[in-house]
Every structure is written in structure tokens, then in C-alpha cells.
Amino acid sequence: MSDEATDDGRPDLGDVPAAPPAGETPLRTPMTEAGARVRTPDPLALVIFGGTGDLTRRKLMPALWALRADGLLPEGFAIVGNSREEIGEDDFRERMRGALAEFDEEPDADDWAGFSRRIRYVHGSTDDPGTFNRLKQVLEEVERDCGTQGNRMFYLALPPSVIAQTAQGLGRAGLVTGAKDPAWTRIIVEKPFGRDLESAQGLNASLLEVFRERQIFRIDHYLGKETLQNLLVFRFANTIWEPLWSRNYVDHVQITVAESVGVEGRAGYYDRSGALRDMIQSHLLQILTLVAMEPPASYDADSIRNEKVKVLQSIPLLQGDDIGRWAVRGRYGASGKGGEDDRGYLDEANVPEGSRTETYAAVRLTVDNWRWEGVPFYLRTGKKLAGKQSEVVIRFRPAPHPIRDLVHCDSPAPNALVLHIQPDEGMSLFFEAKEPGIRGPLRAVSMDFDYNRAFGVESPEAYQRLLLDAMLGDATLFARRDEVEAAWTLVTPILEAWEREGEPEEYPAESWGPRCADELLAQEGRSWHQPTG
Ligand code: BG6
């Protein structure tokens, strides 16, 4: 079925799967517990550029293997890997098996034998037209041998510098289907999507020379995380929060994505990026849009993304002196505890001398619309912090009238709703209770909800969900062109100001970040919520 054939780009439930390759057991037909058939994608060939790279080994192969185990891959399915490494097909298959053994589990020999027959490999650089010609030939072969019916999904697990040339190469080789073709083509592009507004616009323009917007899936893996998807359910499938979800009751919002790891050998990429580009432009602004957006008219991809874009467009740009006041940065130093790994950022391998790259960033933004006028959104993220904790804190306004006649307390702590994104997905509602005893003091207590405990299952990996959605043609959890550009519009003035002057403030590894981040909130008499756990 062509991508243009249905209103929302989703394949029909009634599609008949193609026959499996000769001699192979059919992939399991997925059923829910209630016995209903679960939607599986159209037959397709998945082409992975960067096929021998880290992302493919750590994330994509385990995700595909899990989808296979859940019966969510179509019968007509093939993987074609590409990289510049001159290795044979068997070698490539063996590496993929090794990736599963390393990052997932040792695959069962029979299952693997069946699956690996669907894996092909084409070596060659993406600036060489010969690579695309060979790819075309292999795609024709898998169409015949694996029943992929001409549908293709290109996954570009590649550095940003070669994304445009790869897309152009695909176009020139005639590998991209048009709107009227019976088969469909899609492209998945990994972040970083550009390094500022101008480069993101350039990248979008060159992709759009070859692909139509509805064929382009820009991945932000945070959108595949279970708690973020649940944020929409939490807000829009329950009535109790909505009356509270605005300036009338919310004092401010905090979004924290704290990592305990450092740059982990990625300094080559990271030093040209920094925390603002690497995390705030993408993951944290995505979280902000989900917290702040209006209920969409319907829950299709474009209605949801329209509302998210409106949020980004309602955020005033930080400019001039406001950048110094409302955006701060830091860089980790050693923790001082000693040991081989106790290194500051500047001493990490491949960090250039005199680097001014920040490993921590915090900003205060506002969303100037009817719902959020006057409510600050504080965003912070950093590496080598005291823990791996991502959460959204909705801090409510304090009670308007003291209850000192009833209990021994002048100022009860304001209520807070904490949405735990990772590692333990769930939420906690903090409220005040009186300790037992005559005129006993107040104490903050919490009502807690834990996803794993409630449902008794581990949440699927983000890439599992995202790969499946892209195969199904559902773009809800992928960033649209205007969304990406609106996010870059917000961070580019800060990046430019930081490039012009100043240095990140050093913070000790394993702390909660630089002092300037605490001062950012202290200016308004507030402080960061201390992540728990
Ligand atoms: C990536 C960043 O997008 O997200 C990394 O490039 C960061 O620097 C990672 O470590 C964090 O993802 P997660 O899922 O581990 O929170």
C-alpha cells in the first residue's frame, strides 16, 4: 500500500501478509491476551545505513529482535545493512548475532537461523553512486526472496554530515517511491538534526528535495519512552488534573534529565555539541511540549504535533541580558574521590585543549499563552550528576491562608506532582498531612504509583516502539519539520551568546550541578526539587 493511500498513512488491518522465505517457519501471528489480532506492519525491507555502528548494535538489533519475539514484524521482512566496512554478508550476520548476545541475550540457534536468512549486507560509502546501485540490486532480490513487496524504510544511523548526501544518493538511484506508487518508502533520521537553526533548515530542505514530509521520521528517542507516552494519557484520559493544569493552580514546572555517566568516549561528537544542543534542544523541549500542550482536536499525528508546535511558538526567545540571567551552564570536574575514572571533562580522551563546551545546562522559559502566562518552566540537564534521574515536577501554588490555629505550622509546603520518567517510571503526588499528636506538625507525604509494580511488566525499550510506529507509518512520536525548527529557534540565540563569551562553571562530578543553576531559581525564591532514589 502506498503511503498516500490512507488519510493517516497507516496500513490497513486487513492486509494479507506475504509468504515467508522458502524453508522458513512463519513469524508468529501476534495476538493480545484477549485473542484479538494486533496490527503488524506492511511487508518491508529495512535498510540500515551505519549498519555496523554502535546504535545498530546497542539499540536497533535488540529492538528488532524483541519485535520479532512479540510477533510484530511482518512475514515479508528483510534487513539490509550498509557501512563502509568491506565485510562479507556472513560476517555482518555474525556481528548482528554478537550484538544481541552483548546487548540483549544470546539468541536461540533455530530462531536466529530463520531470522538471519533475512539479513543482507551492502558495503560502500554513501558518497559513491555504486553503493546505491548495489543496494538497489539487493533490494530487488529481497523483494523476490523475502516478499517485501517493494516497501522500504531507510534508517540513517549516520553522522549529521552525511545525512543529506545519503538522501540525495537514494533519490538519484531511483530508490524513493512517489505519491502514486503502490509501494511506500520512508526515511528515519537520527538526532542531532542540525547544529543550529540554519543548519537544521538546510538539512530539512535537502531531505525535502527527495522525500515528502510524511515520509520523513525524525527520531527523538525520549518520545518512545513509556512515561512520556503516558503523559498524554495521564493528562487527557483523566478529568481530575485538567482543572489544575494551568496558571490558576501551577506555580512553576521543573524538568530534569540528570545523567550519572560522563561523555563515555563520545567526546569527538559531544565537544561540538554540549548539553544545550545534545539534550535541551531535543529531549527536554519535547517533554515541555507534552506537559504544556492543549488537548488536540483528535489524536492523530498531525493534530498532536500541531499543538506541540504551538507551545514552542508561544515561548519568547531569550535575548540580550536575559540570556545571562535565565540560561546557565556548567562543566564537570573530578569528584575528588580519586580513582582511575575520576576525571573532569577537560581531562577526558579527545576533549580539545581550551574546550568551552558545557556538560550541564539550565534555562528558564515561559510559555506565553492563556494557560501558562507567568508560570516559569525550569529545564536542567547534565552529565556526571549525583544520579540518573529524569522527572517532571509540577509545583502547585501554596495554600492561600495559613492554618496555624489548627496545626503548628505557618507555611505548609506546596503540593507537587512528580512524573518519574526514568529510571523508575511512575508518579508521586506530594501533599501535607498532620503528624499524629495534639497540634502535631505538618509533614509532606506522598501517594505513589509505579508502572512496573502496577502492570507487572517491564516497559518496552523506546526504539522498539519507535521502529514499530515508523513501520506502521504512524508519525505521532516523531518530530515534524516545524517542530524541530521551532526548537532550534529557541536555543540558537543562547548558543550564539555562549560561543561569543564566557565559560561554563565547574561542578564536582556526582553533585547536582553548578551553583549558578541553584542561583537561577533562587532569583525567584525557588529551589530545585531534589530527585529521590
Ligand atoms: C542522547 C544524547 O540523545 O540521549 C546522549 O546524545 C545522552 O548524550 C542520551 O546520554 C540519554 O538518553 P537516555 O535514554 O539514556 O536518558
Side-chain angles (χ1 to χ4, degrees), residues 59 191 221-222 225 257 259 261 264 266 269-270 278-279 282-283 383 388 390 422:
K59 300 287 182 190
K191 80 175 259 288
H221 78 278
Y222 265 60
K225 291 188 190 272
V257 177
E259 295 189 85
V261 293
E264 292 193 299
R266 292 166 71 223
Y269 152 74
Y270 194 83
D278 186 45
M279 300 292 288
S282 48
H283 309 323
K383 292 206 182 277
K388 181 175 170 75
S390 301
Q422 59 186 23

